[in-house]
Structure formats: structure tokens, C-alpha cells
Amino acid sequence: MSRPERKLQKRFVVFCEGDTEYNYIDKMRKRQDVQIALKPINMHGGGYSNFLKKIKTESQKNCLAKFIIVDADRLIKHYEEKDSFLQLVEYCRLQNKKGTIPHFLIVNNPDFEYVACLHVPEYKGQEVTRFLQTVLGFQSLEQFKKNTEVYKCLNNGERSYQVLIQKIQGKDKFVKNTYSVKKKNFEIAISRTDVTWELLDCKGSNMEEFFNVIDW
């Protein structure tokens, strides 16, 4: 008698800093056949070092990959955050070199609100807050950030994360992970993480890495 086929669990851990990202990913995971453990982190007062502390205390088992999703605006506004950010980068590189659980550093530049606008086909670089108000119908930026149905709002009709991917894929990025995914046995490996400081002032995101890895 042949053994029953073992069904592997596609489980990922996502560290995200704000309510908007949390609400987006929380609703997304319920619509896809994937397990995502969310670890929201309040960065107020601690900066990128808060992420590093939290990541170090988390288990290194029972997941295929970890995603650390941060905004670049803090790095842009506060130069003193550079050292903490570099420590976060180096920690991810070290874990990836060990070959255990891959750590994807995802940087939205300047923030997730900009990435949200990229879900919308007619977004062509307009000022973010005004676009959220006039096109998506939010009264304010704060109302958008508190919306628990942000995933549905951005993935409805012609709006979708596929539109986002089309807009950012192939573009130069502040942070980029070079990785491979073997879908048959769920093996994921990151060979390098590049940070191009010359692109810090350029809007962009490597968020497509997150979707590409979890969406198979």
C-alpha cells in the first residue's frame, strides 16, 4: 500500500508596522490558500530597531519564509535611522546566508499608502492623499489607514495587486532580493539582498516579491 501524499503547509510570517498593512494582509490571507501569521509592530519611538528586536525573539521554525515589510519614509525623514536600518538589512542577510528560513526585506518607498495607489490603473503619480480622497473616496488619510476593508477596496473591479505588480516589476528599487522558489517541495532561498542608496529618493517598492512567493 502506498503512503498517503504528505500535504505541505504554505505558512509564512509577516512583520508589518501599521494598521493599514495589517488589515490588508489579514483580509488577503482569508481569501487565499495560505497560512500567514501576522506580527504587527508599532515603530513609534523605536524605529527600525523595533523590528529587529521582535524578529530576533520569534521562532525560527514552522514557516517557509519571513517577510519584514517596512516604509522608507522614516529613513528619509530621520537620517539617524540609517544605522538601525542597516542592522536590519545585515540581520536578514545573515539569516539568508545560513540557509534556514529566508528573510525577505520588503521596503515600500515612501510608504504603503503610495503602494495602495498603485493598485489603481488610473494612478499616474498624483499626490497620494488627494488621490485617496478624490478617486477612492476617503475623507482623509487617517480614515484610509483605519479602514479594515482596505484589501477589498484595493482589489475590486479593475483595481488589484496584479496592477501593482505590473507597475513595479522590472523597475529599479531601493531594496531588492534575489531569490529562487522550488514549488514542488516548497523550497525558498535568497542568494542576496541589495540596497541601492542612490534610489532612496525614488518612489518604488519590491512588494511584488511578497506576492510572487506566496501566490502559487
Side-chain angles (χ1 to χ4, degrees), residues 3 7 19 27 32 37 41 43 48 60 68 86 94 101 104 116 125 150 163 167 170-171 177 190 196 202 204:
R3 291 183 178 181
K7 186 176 181 180
D19 292 339
K27 289 297 190 295
Q32 298 191 30
I41 298 174
M43 284 176 57
Y48 300 107
Q60 295 293 322
I68 300 95
L86 285 173
L94 178 61
I101 296 177
F104 285 85
V150 62
V163 173
K167 289 183 177 182
K171 299 289 181 64
N177 297 290
I190 300 175
T196 307
C202 301

Side-chain angles (χ1 to χ4, degrees), residues 160-174:
S160 73
Y161 69 84
Q162 287 92 346
V163 173
L164 160 68
I165 292 173
Q166 289 174 2
K167 289 183 177 182
I168 63 177
Q169 204 153 33
K171 299 289 181 64
D172 292 335
K173 306 176 192 306
F174 173 53

Side-chain angles (χ1 to χ4, degrees), residues 24 115-121 151-167 211:
Y24 184 101
V115 170
C117 292
L118 292 176
H119 285 66
V120 186
Y151 178 81
K152 183 178 179 180
C153 173
L154 298 176
N155 291 272
N156 184 26
E158 294 185 348
R159 306 170 190 167
S160 73
Y161 69 84
Q162 287 92 346
V163 173
L164 160 68
I165 292 173
Q166 289 174 2
K167 289 183 177 182
F211 292 108

Side-chain angles (χ1 to χ4, degrees), residues 144-202:
F144 171 77
K145 288 182 176 182
K146 294 177 180 179
N147 189 340
T148 59
E149 298 298 329
V150 62
Y151 178 81
K152 183 178 179 180
C153 173
L154 298 176
N155 291 272
N156 184 26
E158 294 185 348
R159 306 170 190 167
S160 73
Y161 69 84
Q162 287 92 346
V163 173
L164 160 68
I165 292 173
Q166 289 174 2
K167 289 183 177 182
I168 63 177
Q169 204 153 33
K171 299 289 181 64
D172 292 335
K173 306 176 192 306
F174 173 53
V175 171
K176 178 183 178 181
N177 297 290
T178 301
Y179 62 95
S180 62
V181 178
K182 295 181 180 178
K183 298 181 179 181
K184 185 176 181 179
N185 52 2
F186 289 8
E187 287 186 5
I188 305 169
I190 300 175
S191 58
R192 60 185 295 169
T193 298
D194 293 306
V195 179
T196 307
W197 287 98
E198 293 80 4
L199 296 176
L200 179 58
D201 293 330
C202 301

Side-chain angles (χ1 to χ4, degrees), residues 10 24 34 41 46 79 85 87 91 124 131 154 166 203:
K10 293 188 294 183
Y24 184 101
V34 61
I41 298 174
Y79 183 79
F85 180 79
Q87 290 176 28
Y91 179 80
K124 307 296 181 183
F131 187 83
L154 298 176
Q166 289 174 2
K203 292 182 178 181

Side-chain angles (χ1 to χ4, degrees), residues 84-101:
S84 296
F85 180 79
L86 285 173
Q87 290 176 28
L88 179 60
V89 173
E90 289 306 316
Y91 179 80
C92 291
R93 285 173 174 164
L94 178 61
Q95 301 311 306
N96 296 331
K97 187 176 181 180
K98 288 179 179 179
T100 52
I101 296 177

Side-chain angles (χ1 to χ4, degrees), residues 12 17 50 58 66 72 74-75 81 87 101 107 116 121 125 138:
F12 304 94
E17 69 178 88
N50 268 354
E58 289 298 315
K66 293 185 178 182
R74 194 177 188 91
L75 187 60
E81 287 284 351
Q87 290 176 28
I101 296 177
V107 179
F138 291 94

